[in-house]
Amino acid sequence: MKTLTLISVLMCLGCAQLEGTTVVVVRTPKHFVVAADSLWIGVDPASPSQEEHKFSCKIQRFGHIYFVATTSEVDARQLMIFALQAMETSATVAEAAHRLALKSDEMAKRTAKMAPQPVIDGCSKLSCAEGLFFGIENGVPTMVHLDFVQSGDSRKNLKFIPHTYTCPGKCPDITWNMFFLGQTREIARIRQTNPSFVKGYSDQEIARKLVELEEKTDPEEVGGPIDLLTLDAQGAYWEPVQGGTCSAEETQPKVRKPEKPKAQRAKP
């Protein structure tokens, strides 16, 4: 996992946003499949019209815990750093989510200081950031979704109220489910107009195709190589993709090494 690369990219971008991010998560009783685009958009609060684009992994990991996020108002740099700190000091997915939720006041304070007032106005009573912690715990794919909803509409009373959605727990007891973070307008449209679109595809193909759908619709906001992770009790596997940003496995598919020829006894 390219954690140092991620942090250096965030430092370069300053106040980074993940507004256009698209994340698709497929969960079954056996595994997670997670697909995410890799485009980061950074802005200087003093010159918000000047944007800088970078490509880097959006899926963080520490130990068995993974994290991915999207933001519309909250500084993604701060959010990702807080999430990494939470994972480093937590034994479970739920504990990491709880630790990040405790940082909501600090996130609101930074937002009040750096975000333009029109941005604050536009996120009033809405979700301004989402985060998803996930991992395999006791053989079970376990996740906690955090939704930071804005309370207050001025710099003096700005708050982010964290809401959690756990699975297992609050999610339906079904054998296959999908979750989405970030920009999902086209995904919602195709699910409504063609509910059977998932038939005939693997979980990995479904996740990738849905992120590609959003990328084709708005390439200025959703873009770059699509990182695709399959996580189960046996470990993590990154689908090979040219220019993948999360793991070296993505750029060079695994190749089985040829077995060494066994020594043979000479025939008499």
Side-chain angles (χ1 to χ4, degrees):
M1 185 65 59
K2 302 176 181 178
T3 304
L4 293 177
T5 301
L6 170 64
I7 298 299
S8 64
V9 168
L10 291 175
M11 294 295 289
C12 292
L13 290 177
C15 184
Q17 301 297 320
L18 295 174
E19 184 173 4
T21 290
T22 296
V23 180
V24 176
V25 180
V26 177
R27 180 187 180 273
T28 76
K30 298 293 186 181
H31 67 224
F32 283 111
V33 173
V34 181
D37 76 303
S38 54
L39 174 62
W40 293 75
I41 301 175
V43 297
D44 182 350
S47 304
S49 61
Q50 301 297 319
E51 294 185 346
E52 184 179 4
H53 295 70
K54 297 280 187 179
F55 298 111
S56 185
C57 181
K58 294 181 180 178
I59 305 173
Q60 292 193 86
R61 174 195 172 192
F62 187 86
H64 77 283
I65 306 174
Y66 291 77
F67 178 78
V68 66
T70 178
T71 74
S72 59
E73 177 182 2
V74 175
D75 179 10
R77 173 180 178 273
Q78 184 190 48
L79 175 62
M80 299 298 271
I81 290 174
F82 281 162
L84 183 59
Q85 292 171 349
M87 290 189 289
E88 290 173 341
T89 55
S90 299
T92 66
V93 166
E95 184 180 353
H98 175 69
R99 289 183 182 275
L100 180 59
L102 294 177
K103 296 292 187 178
S104 60
D105 286 346
E106 291 184 56
M107 291 161 53
K109 183 178 179 180
R110 180 175 176 86
T111 300
K113 179 180 179 181
M114 302 189 70
Q117 186 62 46
V119 174
I120 294 175
D121 293 339
C123 209
S124 180
K125 299 180 181 180
L126 300 175
S127 173
C128 302
E130 297 176 86
L132 181 72
F133 290 95
F134 64 98
I136 307 297
E137 297 185 341
N138 299 317
V140 178
T142 303
M143 60 175 249
V144 178
H145 176 262
L146 271 171
D147 207 4
F148 293 93
V149 177
Q150 179 177 307
S151 173
D153 54 9
S154 74
R155 299 182 187 282
K156 292 183 179 180
N157 66 359
L158 191 68
K159 294 284 186 181
F160 291 134
I161 310 301
H163 299 266
T164 60
Y165 181 87
T166 61
C167 196
K170 295 181 180 179
C171 65
D173 186 16
I174 55 179
T175 59
W176 192 91
N177 206 351
M178 281 195 300
F179 304 88
F180 311 97
L181 283 76
Q183 185 164 304
T184 59
R185 289 186 293 271
E186 284 301 304
I187 294 174
R189 184 189 63 78
I190 195 171
R191 293 182 74 201
Q192 183 177 13
T193 58
N194 185 17
S196 62
F197 74 94
V198 298
K199 292 183 178 180
Y201 294 109
S202 68
D203 292 348
Q204 291 79 7
E205 289 171 330
I206 293 167
R208 183 186 297 279
K209 285 178 179 294
L210 290 177
V211 176
E212 288 175 345
L213 183 66
E214 293 292 339
E215 183 175 10
K216 290 177 182 177
T217 302
D218 191 357
E220 294 298 317
E221 297 292 334
V222 181
I226 297 173
D227 297 303
L228 183 57
L229 169 69
T230 300
L231 180 66
D232 59 24
Q234 281 67 53
Y237 174 73
W238 295 94
E239 292 290 328
V241 59
Q242 187 63 38
T245 62
C246 289
S247 170
E249 295 178 19
E250 295 175 295
T251 55
Q252 295 185 358
K254 292 181 179 178
V255 177
R256 180 179 294 177
K257 295 181 180 180
E259 295 183 1
K260 294 181 179 180
K262 296 180 180 179
Q264 296 181 347
R265 183 185 301 175
K267 294 181 179 180

mmCIF file of all heavy atoms in Angstrom, residues 60-88:
data_model
loop_
_atom_site.group_PDB
_atom_site.id
_atom_site.type_symbol
_atom_site.label_atom_id
_atom_site.label_comp_id
_atom_site.label_asym_id
_atom_site.label_seq_id
_atom_site.Cartn_x
_atom_site.Cartn_y
_atom_site.Cartn_z
ATOM 1 N N GLN A 60 -7.020 3.449 1.810
ATOM 2 C CA GLN A 60 -5.956 3.341 2.803
ATOM 3 C C GLN A 60 -6.064 2.022 3.558
ATOM 4 O O GLN A 60 -7.142 1.447 3.689
ATOM 5 C CB GLN A 60 -6.047 4.481 3.820
ATOM 6 C CG GLN A 60 -5.741 5.858 3.276
ATOM 7 C CD GLN A 60 -5.556 6.840 4.411
ATOM 8 O OE1 GLN A 60 -4.474 6.980 4.963
ATOM 9 N NE2 GLN A 60 -6.626 7.527 4.768
ATOM 10 N N ARG A 61 -4.949 1.593 4.111
ATOM 11 C CA ARG A 61 -4.943 0.367 4.916
ATOM 12 C C ARG A 61 -3.977 0.490 6.077
ATOM 13 O O ARG A 61 -2.902 1.071 5.938
ATOM 14 C CB ARG A 61 -4.527 -0.822 4.059
ATOM 15 C CG ARG A 61 -4.354 -2.109 4.865
ATOM 16 C CD ARG A 61 -3.599 -3.156 4.094
ATOM 17 N NE ARG A 61 -3.283 -4.300 4.930
ATOM 18 C CZ ARG A 61 -2.434 -5.265 4.595
ATOM 19 N NH1 ARG A 61 -1.804 -5.201 3.440
ATOM 20 N NH2 ARG A 61 -2.201 -6.268 5.415
ATOM 21 N N PHE A 62 -4.374 -0.066 7.222
ATOM 22 C CA PHE A 62 -3.445 -0.290 8.325
ATOM 23 C C PHE A 62 -3.870 -1.594 8.995
ATOM 24 O O PHE A 62 -4.989 -1.722 9.471
ATOM 25 C CB PHE A 62 -3.466 0.847 9.355
ATOM 26 C CG PHE A 62 -2.391 0.710 10.391
ATOM 27 C CD1 PHE A 62 -1.124 1.197 10.160
ATOM 28 C CD2 PHE A 62 -2.643 0.047 11.594
ATOM 29 C CE1 PHE A 62 -0.112 1.038 11.096
ATOM 30 C CE2 PHE A 62 -1.647 -0.104 12.535
ATOM 31 C CZ PHE A 62 -0.375 0.384 12.297
ATOM 32 N N GLY A 63 -2.950 -2.560 9.018
ATOM 33 C CA GLY A 63 -3.309 -3.866 9.553
ATOM 34 C C GLY A 63 -4.395 -4.506 8.698
ATOM 35 O O GLY A 63 -4.291 -4.549 7.472
ATOM 36 N N HIS A 64 -5.460 -4.964 9.353
ATOM 37 C CA HIS A 64 -6.547 -5.605 8.595
ATOM 38 C C HIS A 64 -7.651 -4.622 8.216
ATOM 39 O O HIS A 64 -8.618 -5.004 7.564
ATOM 40 C CB HIS A 64 -7.158 -6.747 9.426
ATOM 41 C CG HIS A 64 -8.082 -6.273 10.515
ATOM 42 N ND1 HIS A 64 -7.620 -5.734 11.710
ATOM 43 C CD2 HIS A 64 -9.444 -6.231 10.593
ATOM 44 C CE1 HIS A 64 -8.657 -5.399 12.469
ATOM 45 N NE2 HIS A 64 -9.776 -5.688 11.818
ATOM 46 N N ILE A 65 -7.491 -3.335 8.619
ATOM 47 C CA ILE A 65 -8.550 -2.343 8.424
ATOM 48 C C ILE A 65 -8.250 -1.482 7.193
ATOM 49 O O ILE A 65 -7.135 -0.982 7.016
ATOM 50 C CB ILE A 65 -8.704 -1.442 9.656
ATOM 51 C CG1 ILE A 65 -8.911 -2.290 10.916
ATOM 52 C CG2 ILE A 65 -9.887 -0.482 9.481
ATOM 53 C CD1 ILE A 65 -8.931 -1.476 12.206
ATOM 54 N N TYR A 66 -9.277 -1.266 6.369
ATOM 55 C CA TYR A 66 -9.180 -0.430 5.171
ATOM 56 C C TYR A 66 -10.132 0.754 5.316
ATOM 57 O O TYR A 66 -11.109 0.702 6.061
ATOM 58 C CB TYR A 66 -9.563 -1.232 3.927
ATOM 59 C CG TYR A 66 -8.567 -2.311 3.554
ATOM 60 C CD1 TYR A 66 -8.518 -3.510 4.269
ATOM 61 C CD2 TYR A 66 -7.689 -2.143 2.485
ATOM 62 C CE1 TYR A 66 -7.610 -4.505 3.927
ATOM 63 C CE2 TYR A 66 -6.788 -3.138 2.136
ATOM 64 C CZ TYR A 66 -6.747 -4.315 2.859
ATOM 65 O OH TYR A 66 -5.854 -5.291 2.517
ATOM 66 N N PHE A 67 -9.835 1.823 4.549
ATOM 67 C CA PHE A 67 -10.663 3.024 4.606
ATOM 68 C C PHE A 67 -10.692 3.688 3.243
ATOM 69 O O PHE A 67 -9.678 3.770 2.538
ATOM 70 C CB PHE A 67 -10.110 4.016 5.632
ATOM 71 C CG PHE A 67 -10.881 5.315 5.725
ATOM 72 C CD1 PHE A 67 -12.081 5.374 6.410
ATOM 73 C CD2 PHE A 67 -10.406 6.473 5.125
ATOM 74 C CE1 PHE A 67 -12.806 6.553 6.496
ATOM 75 C CE2 PHE A 67 -11.117 7.662 5.211
ATOM 76 C CZ PHE A 67 -12.325 7.697 5.905
ATOM 77 N N VAL A 68 -11.876 4.188 2.861
ATOM 78 C CA VAL A 68 -12.039 4.966 1.640
ATOM 79 C C VAL A 68 -13.049 6.062 1.936
ATOM 80 O O VAL A 68 -13.925 5.891 2.791
ATOM 81 C CB VAL A 68 -12.485 4.064 0.474
ATOM 82 C CG1 VAL A 68 -13.869 3.492 0.711
ATOM 83 C CG2 VAL A 68 -12.405 4.792 -0.859
ATOM 84 N N ALA A 69 -12.941 7.210 1.244
ATOM 85 C CA ALA A 69 -13.793 8.347 1.594
ATOM 86 C C ALA A 69 -14.126 9.193 0.384
ATOM 87 O O ALA A 69 -13.499 9.090 -0.677
ATOM 88 C CB ALA A 69 -13.102 9.223 2.653
ATOM 89 N N THR A 70 -15.110 10.059 0.572
ATOM 90 C CA THR A 70 -15.459 11.089 -0.405
ATOM 91 C C THR A 70 -15.906 12.325 0.357
ATOM 92 O O THR A 70 -16.493 12.215 1.439
ATOM 93 C CB THR A 70 -16.563 10.608 -1.354
ATOM 94 O OG1 THR A 70 -16.903 11.666 -2.261
ATOM 95 C CG2 THR A 70 -17.807 10.194 -0.601
ATOM 96 N N THR A 71 -15.616 13.503 -0.157
ATOM 97 C CA THR A 71 -15.995 14.750 0.511
ATOM 98 C C THR A 71 -16.530 15.755 -0.495
ATOM 99 O O THR A 71 -16.172 15.729 -1.673
ATOM 100 C CB THR A 71 -14.800 15.410 1.247
ATOM 101 O OG1 THR A 71 -13.914 15.989 0.277
ATOM 102 C CG2 THR A 71 -14.041 14.404 2.093
ATOM 103 N N SER A 72 -17.393 16.657 -0.006
ATOM 104 C CA SER A 72 -17.846 17.779 -0.827
ATOM 105 C C SER A 72 -17.454 19.108 -0.209
ATOM 106 O O SER A 72 -17.362 20.116 -0.900
ATOM 107 C CB SER A 72 -19.371 17.718 -1.009
ATOM 108 O OG SER A 72 -20.015 17.754 0.242
ATOM 109 N N GLU A 73 -17.229 19.117 1.085
ATOM 110 C CA GLU A 73 -16.872 20.356 1.784
ATOM 111 C C GLU A 73 -15.678 20.157 2.704
ATOM 112 O O GLU A 73 -14.780 20.980 2.780
ATOM 113 C CB GLU A 73 -18.077 20.855 2.599
ATOM 114 C CG GLU A 73 -17.797 22.091 3.422
ATOM 115 C CD GLU A 73 -19.005 22.516 4.234
ATOM 116 O OE1 GLU A 73 -20.039 21.839 4.179
ATOM 117 O OE2 GLU A 73 -18.904 23.526 4.940
ATOM 118 N N VAL A 74 -15.645 19.031 3.405
ATOM 119 C CA VAL A 74 -14.570 18.730 4.337
ATOM 120 C C VAL A 74 -13.253 18.563 3.585
ATOM 121 O O VAL A 74 -13.219 18.021 2.480
ATOM 122 C CB VAL A 74 -14.910 17.438 5.119
ATOM 123 C CG1 VAL A 74 -13.748 17.019 6.009
ATOM 124 C CG2 VAL A 74 -16.176 17.648 5.946
ATOM 125 N N ASP A 75 -12.146 19.031 4.182
ATOM 126 C CA ASP A 75 -10.825 18.879 3.586
ATOM 127 C C ASP A 75 -10.443 17.400 3.594
ATOM 128 O O ASP A 75 -10.288 16.783 4.643
ATOM 129 C CB ASP A 75 -9.823 19.704 4.389
ATOM 130 C CG ASP A 75 -8.406 19.592 3.854
ATOM 131 O OD1 ASP A 75 -8.224 19.035 2.759
ATOM 132 O OD2 ASP A 75 -7.486 20.070 4.542
ATOM 133 N N ALA A 76 -10.297 16.818 2.415
ATOM 134 C CA ALA A 76 -9.991 15.391 2.312
ATOM 135 C C ALA A 76 -8.635 15.060 2.921
ATOM 136 O O ALA A 76 -8.447 13.974 3.472
ATOM 137 C CB ALA A 76 -10.030 14.962 0.849
ATOM 138 N N ARG A 77 -7.686 15.984 2.825
ATOM 139 C CA ARG A 77 -6.357 15.752 3.408
ATOM 140 C C ARG A 77 -6.480 15.498 4.899
ATOM 141 O O ARG A 77 -5.926 14.534 5.438
ATOM 142 C CB ARG A 77 -5.459 16.954 3.136
ATOM 143 C CG ARG A 77 -4.097 16.899 3.838
ATOM 144 C CD ARG A 77 -3.262 18.142 3.511
ATOM 145 N NE ARG A 77 -1.996 18.129 4.210
ATOM 146 C CZ ARG A 77 -1.816 18.602 5.429
ATOM 147 N NH1 ARG A 77 -2.842 19.128 6.092
ATOM 148 N NH2 ARG A 77 -0.629 18.561 5.997
ATOM 149 N N GLN A 78 -7.213 16.357 5.585
ATOM 150 C CA GLN A 78 -7.384 16.202 7.027
ATOM 151 C C GLN A 78 -8.163 14.919 7.344
ATOM 152 O O GLN A 78 -7.809 14.167 8.261
ATOM 153 C CB GLN A 78 -8.115 17.409 7.612
ATOM 154 C CG GLN A 78 -8.252 17.354 9.133
ATOM 155 C CD GLN A 78 -9.176 18.435 9.657
ATOM 156 O OE1 GLN A 78 -10.268 18.632 9.153
ATOM 157 N NE2 GLN A 78 -8.732 19.141 10.697
ATOM 158 N N LEU A 79 -9.208 14.653 6.578
ATOM 159 C CA LEU A 79 -10.036 13.474 6.819
ATOM 160 C C LEU A 79 -9.217 12.193 6.686
ATOM 161 O O LEU A 79 -9.309 11.293 7.534
ATOM 162 C CB LEU A 79 -11.201 13.457 5.823
ATOM 163 C CG LEU A 79 -12.111 12.217 5.856
ATOM 164 C CD1 LEU A 79 -12.797 12.085 7.210
ATOM 165 C CD2 LEU A 79 -13.143 12.293 4.736
ATOM 166 N N MET A 80 -8.411 12.078 5.634
ATOM 167 C CA MET A 80 -7.628 10.872 5.419
ATOM 168 C C MET A 80 -6.557 10.692 6.492
ATOM 169 O O MET A 80 -6.279 9.567 6.928
ATOM 170 C CB MET A 80 -7.000 10.892 4.026
ATOM 171 C CG MET A 80 -8.000 10.945 2.878
ATOM 172 S SD MET A 80 -9.095 9.513 2.794
ATOM 173 C CE MET A 80 -8.160 8.409 1.759
ATOM 174 N N ILE A 81 -5.962 11.781 6.936
ATOM 175 C CA ILE A 81 -4.954 11.689 7.995
ATOM 176 C C ILE A 81 -5.605 11.249 9.300
ATOM 177 O O ILE A 81 -5.077 10.386 10.020
ATOM 178 C CB ILE A 81 -4.220 13.029 8.158
ATOM 179 C CG1 ILE A 81 -3.320 13.282 6.942
ATOM 180 C CG2 ILE A 81 -3.386 13.038 9.439
ATOM 181 C CD1 ILE A 81 -2.665 14.637 6.928
ATOM 182 N N PHE A 82 -6.753 11.821 9.636
ATOM 183 C CA PHE A 82 -7.478 11.399 10.843
ATOM 184 C C PHE A 82 -7.864 9.918 10.750
ATOM 185 O O PHE A 82 -7.806 9.190 11.744
ATOM 186 C CB PHE A 82 -8.735 12.245 11.031
ATOM 187 C CG PHE A 82 -8.488 13.606 11.628
ATOM 188 C CD1 PHE A 82 -9.451 14.602 11.519
ATOM 189 C CD2 PHE A 82 -7.314 13.898 12.291
ATOM 190 C CE1 PHE A 82 -9.238 15.861 12.072
ATOM 191 C CE2 PHE A 82 -7.081 15.155 12.844
ATOM 192 C CZ PHE A 82 -8.053 16.140 12.734
ATOM 193 N N ALA A 83 -8.287 9.479 9.573
ATOM 194 C CA ALA A 83 -8.680 8.079 9.400
ATOM 195 C C ALA A 83 -7.490 7.147 9.603
ATOM 196 O O ALA A 83 -7.606 6.091 10.238
ATOM 197 C CB ALA A 83 -9.290 7.873 8.022
ATOM 198 N N LEU A 84 -6.328 7.529 9.064
ATOM 199 C CA LEU A 84 -5.129 6.712 9.229
ATOM 200 C C LEU A 84 -4.734 6.633 10.699
ATOM 201 O O LEU A 84 -4.384 5.561 11.204
ATOM 202 C CB LEU A 84 -3.985 7.285 8.402
ATOM 203 C CG LEU A 84 -2.674 6.497 8.420
ATOM 204 C CD1 LEU A 84 -2.886 5.073 7.917
ATOM 205 C CD2 LEU A 84 -1.606 7.209 7.591
ATOM 206 N N GLN A 85 -4.809 7.753 11.403
ATOM 207 C CA GLN A 85 -4.513 7.754 12.828
ATOM 208 C C GLN A 85 -5.482 6.849 13.594
ATOM 209 O O GLN A 85 -5.080 6.129 14.514
ATOM 210 C CB GLN A 85 -4.581 9.179 13.386
ATOM 211 C CG GLN A 85 -3.480 10.092 12.873
ATOM 212 C CD GLN A 85 -3.689 11.548 13.267
ATOM 213 O OE1 GLN A 85 -4.761 11.933 13.754
ATOM 214 N NE2 GLN A 85 -2.672 12.365 13.060
ATOM 215 N N ALA A 86 -6.757 6.880 13.200
ATOM 216 C CA ALA A 86 -7.764 6.040 13.847
ATOM 217 C C ALA A 86 -7.456 4.562 13.630
ATOM 218 O O ALA A 86 -7.565 3.749 14.559
ATOM 219 C CB ALA A 86 -9.152 6.384 13.317
ATOM 220 N N MET A 87 -7.046 4.191 12.424
ATOM 221 C CA MET A 87 -6.729 2.793 12.145
ATOM 222 C C MET A 87 -5.489 2.337 12.900
ATOM 223 O O MET A 87 -5.424 1.200 13.378
ATOM 224 C CB MET A 87 -6.547 2.591 10.641
ATOM 225 C CG MET A 87 -7.835 2.714 9.846
ATOM 226 S SD MET A 87 -7.662 2.205 8.103
ATOM 227 C CE MET A 87 -6.667 3.543 7.451
ATOM 228 N N GLU A 88 -4.520 3.228 13.008
ATOM 229 C CA GLU A 88 -3.271 2.882 13.688
ATOM 230 C C GLU A 88 -3.480 2.601 15.175
ATOM 231 O O GLU A 88 -2.674 1.887 15.787
ATOM 232 C CB GLU A 88 -2.254 4.011 13.514
ATOM 233 C CG GLU A 88 -1.709 4.149 12.108
ATOM 234 C CD GLU A 88 -0.832 5.382 11.948
ATOM 235 O OE1 GLU A 88 -0.930 6.307 12.781
ATOM 236 O OE2 GLU A 88 -0.040 5.408 10.980
#
